[in-house]
Amino acid sequence: MYAITIREPGDPDVLEWAEAADPRPGPGEVLLEVAASAVNRADLLQRQGHYPPPPGVSETLGLECSGTITELGEGVEGWHVGDEVCALLAGGGYAEQAVVPAGQLLPVPGEIDLLTAAALPEVACTVWANVVMHAKLAEGDVLLVHGGAGGIGTHAIQVGKALGATVAVTAGSPDRLESCRQLGADITINYKEQDFVAVLREETGGADVILDNMGASYLGRNVDALRQDGRLVIIGMQGGVKGELNVGALLGKRASVFAAGLRFRPLDQKAAIVADVRERLWPLVSEGLVKPIVGQVVPMAEAASAHRVLEEGSVFGKVLLAAKS
């Protein structure tokens, strides 16, 4: 098969479309003919040499994909050769074939086509695990989403609205904020010109749940933006890894700070998240209440250009890599 390889850590030009060994499914795994994968910020870090995959996982980039099952490993039940699926991966999506633990498979929902389904697994599992399963977002809550125009953000807006929350977002341009409004965002904040803490306090008194991709640089202000019993969920470190936390402010609000990723979770935890997504979120996707937002589709062999698009920050939604043109 062909797959994207990393010649050496560096800029997007180190990505090459080259021959690689065909993967084989082990017990509890399936083999997919990949239709598409998607570009995530973790892929950019791995390309630069800063985010290696877990031990035993493919060195190939790609944390999600869609495709057709071509082979079942020993002990796999509930799936069949020929099933069209999308999948959460710890690596291996930028390739013509991928091996996936069966517990991380999802059926392609509703009327969504196979290629577009590649935009769903990583954002769906990230948002659902953190905002719903952990932070317990509920009807009537206020949800603040940083980076509302990205893949995670566009998905979180829709999940929040589908669950009856008031959704506030930050983004860096009027056009991107308008696109967030069209997805359902109630409050839009230009982080280059406005203080999200002040805007939230004026509009709602604060947030019950904050989904944050910035990390250290937003830590103190996020705590300031929380309501009583608020929950701050950190899923990214674009703003650094070390920040100062005012424990007194947390105590005064009975607030909590939680940080978690998906890639290094044990298989049983990933399977539990995927099962909950399938049971509770997939019906919302099938009904069209939550839709995959695709900003651009690039041939997988041209992954370098897709990485540049994501680094430039101009795309709205997900960037997909089509395995076949």
Side-chain angles (χ1 to χ4, degrees), residues 22-270:
D22 292 344
R24 303 296 306 161
E29 297 177 333
V30 306
L31 180 65
L32 299 185
E33 179 184 350
V34 174
S37 186
V39 182
N40 291 281
R41 291 205 171 269
D43 302 338
L44 310 187
L45 292 174
Q46 183 175 337
R47 187 201 75 222
Q48 295 162 358
H50 302 315
Y51 192 43
V57 170
S58 170
E59 295 283 340
T60 301
L61 296 169
L63 300 180
E64 58 192 331
C65 72
S66 60
T68 304
I69 295 176
T70 58
E71 186 176 345
L72 303 178
E74 181 183 349
V76 173
E77 298 179 351
W79 299 100
H80 305 89
V81 171
D83 285 347
E84 293 189 341
V85 298
C86 53
L88 181 70
L89 305 171
Y94 288 24
E96 292 179 321
Q97 299 179 68
V99 165
V100 186
Q104 293 167 215
L105 293 171
L106 287 157
V108 174
E111 300 300 318
I112 294 172
D113 64 83
L114 184 59
L115 186 145
T116 303
L120 283 169
E122 178 72 14
V123 294
C125 291
T126 297
V127 172
W128 196 260
N130 288 288
V131 172
V132 181
M133 296 176 71
H134 181 82
K136 308 296 184 186
L137 183 74
E139 184 176 0
D141 281 350
V142 175
L143 169 65
L144 170 61
V145 180
H146 289 301
I152 292 288
T154 54
H155 186 82
I157 290 168
Q158 297 177 83
V159 170
K161 294 307 298 179
L163 296 179
T166 295
V167 178
V169 301
T170 62
S173 73
D175 289 347
R176 292 165 77 77
L177 290 170
E178 175 57 30
S179 295
C180 290
R181 276 191 287 270
Q182 292 177 9
L183 280 182
D186 302 286
I187 301 165
T188 56
I189 304 164
N190 188 328
Y191 67 81
K192 295 180 180 178
E193 300 175 355
Q194 298 171 281
D195 177 1
F196 69 82
V197 179
V199 173
L200 269 185
R201 284 177 174 172
E202 180 179 351
E203 295 283 345
T204 67
D208 298 287
V209 177
I210 299 177
L211 184 63
D212 174 55
N213 61 352
M214 294 302 294
S217 64
Y218 274 21
L219 182 57
R221 295 168 68 204
N222 277 332
V223 172
D224 289 343
L226 289 173
R227 283 175 166 176
Q228 293 291 314
D229 301 301
R231 291 86 72 195
L232 166 61
V233 181
I234 301 172
I235 59 169
M237 301 175 291
Q238 293 180 45
V241 299
K242 293 184 179 181
E244 187 171 300
L245 180 62
N246 185 335
V247 177
L250 279 181
L251 287 170
K253 294 184 175 184
R254 300 182 302 275
S256 63
V257 178
F258 176 74
L262 275 176
R263 192 178 196 184
F264 286 83
R265 287 180 185 254
L267 292 180
D268 60 340
Q269 290 188 19
K270 291 182 183 179

